[in-house]
Amino acid sequence: MTTPSTRQTFFFDDVFTDLAFLHTLTHHGFGGAALGECYAAAATITAGDPESWRSSWQAVAARAEADAVEAEAKGHLASARNCYLRAVTYYWNASMGIRHTDPAFRAAVEKYRSLFVRFGALSTPTIEYVQIPYEGTSLPAFFMPADSSGGPHPTVVIGDNVSEELYYWVGPPAVQRGYNALLVDLPGIGLNWMNGIHFRADTEVSVGAAIDYLLGRDDVDANAIVVYGGGEPGGYVMTRAAAHEKRIAACVADPFVPDNRSIYEIASRDDWANQDAAGDTLGAVLAGQLRQFYAPPAGSAMAVTSSDARLISVPFLCLNDSSDAADLIDSAARAITSSPNPLSAHRVFTPQDGTSGYRELDNFDLKHRAMFDWLDEVLGRTATPAAATGALKMP
């Protein structure tokens, strides 16, 4: 598996603080962060200290929120929209420094969600806050339409982290290319675990509920619903779903993760476990949150289940970082070799491509070009289908 603690640090000596900061900087390209505000926050952060991280980002977030409220009150809606989005990023950052056992954690999530709802309402086209029916309850989600025409479009589904964060992983680049995007808090994610909706290994059930919702919309092409899983949890969640949910038209895994055991082991790997042993560190807080997102219900054990690539009959793209462990890259290569679909592909990004960061955080544009260009080709949205050019088996 990928080991974040082996990466070269960029700004902070503490690897988890550094990675979270780099992550924040990537939002700049989508209007979700301002470099000056980020560095202003960084100047008051003590690396590795969760309270320092929390208070620094809360201060920047409060200023961005105040600017948004003032701009909206004066009718400057574009400025208000931009400020709301930056406030969401900074409040989300602040929540990363709050232990999941602290009552402030729920309040923090509710805060940035309410501001993202406001951002969505001011966006063009409007980003809709929706509730997806799921086993007698519902999953919160945001639907981003490709345009305002109401006509059917291909749609990307993502759901392995809170929706406000997933916005950056597929949202704007999807809409830019004529795709809808559905950002959904799947079971366990966000506040779902607090509300009794826990992670389940048979992810095709919850992803299937999201597809049920999409099929009720006139602006969704029923034959072009694709799924994307980013990070190790998402690499399992969406490939498992694609292996069993036959209404999925294509799947992108960044990276491919063959079974759910890998998810449960993430927070107990040496690099995370050492943080817990160190006590009150940002890494320990993040590990605790991660465990809650992907933990089984209290008192139950989680069986090991697989995301067998041989069962994925649709086009399947696996992405890997150059820093991924060899077994993670090898498992993706084997998955593509065993894929029954000739359009399936595997790409390992290298420093020469312009990225050496975890999950291409230092070059999101590269990730988006790779996945969406491939999707355009396998969905037949290009003038020259990739199958005819031999361009699909990426190095």
Side-chain angles (χ1 to χ4, degrees), residues 28 38 55 76 163 194 330 336:
H28 167 71
C38 291
S55 61
H76 305 307
S163 297
M194 285 188 169
D330 289 345
I336 296 307

Side-chain angles (χ1 to χ4, degrees), residues 10-12 18 21-22 24-26 28 33-45 56-57 60 63 90:
F10 164 72
F11 190 87
F12 291 102
D18 192 65
F21 183 63
L22 174 60
T24 308
L25 295 180
T26 67
H28 167 71
L35 296 182
E37 291 171 338
C38 291
Y39 283 105
T44 60
I45 292 172
S56 295
W57 288 112
V60 178
R63 289 195 292 271
Y90 305 149

Side-chain angles (χ1 to χ4, degrees), residues 1-23:
M1 302 298 290
T2 303
T3 305
S5 61
T6 63
R7 62 178 291 274
Q8 182 177 355
T9 55
F10 164 72
F11 190 87
F12 291 102
D13 290 337
D14 175 73
V15 66
F16 291 95
T17 309
D18 192 65
L19 186 59
F21 183 63
L22 174 60
H23 192 180

Side-chain angles (χ1 to χ4, degrees), residues 260-303:
N260 64 321
R261 175 175 47 207
S262 301
I263 295 176
Y264 307 137
E265 291 175 350
I266 288 174
S268 60
R269 289 188 321 226
D270 287 345
D271 51 338
W272 289 100
N274 290 342
Q275 291 293 314
D276 268 350
D280 194 19
T281 65
L282 182 62
V285 173
L286 292 172
Q289 292 180 9
L290 183 66
R291 290 191 186 97
Q292 292 305 314
F293 283 6
Y294 292 101
S300 65
M302 190 68 76

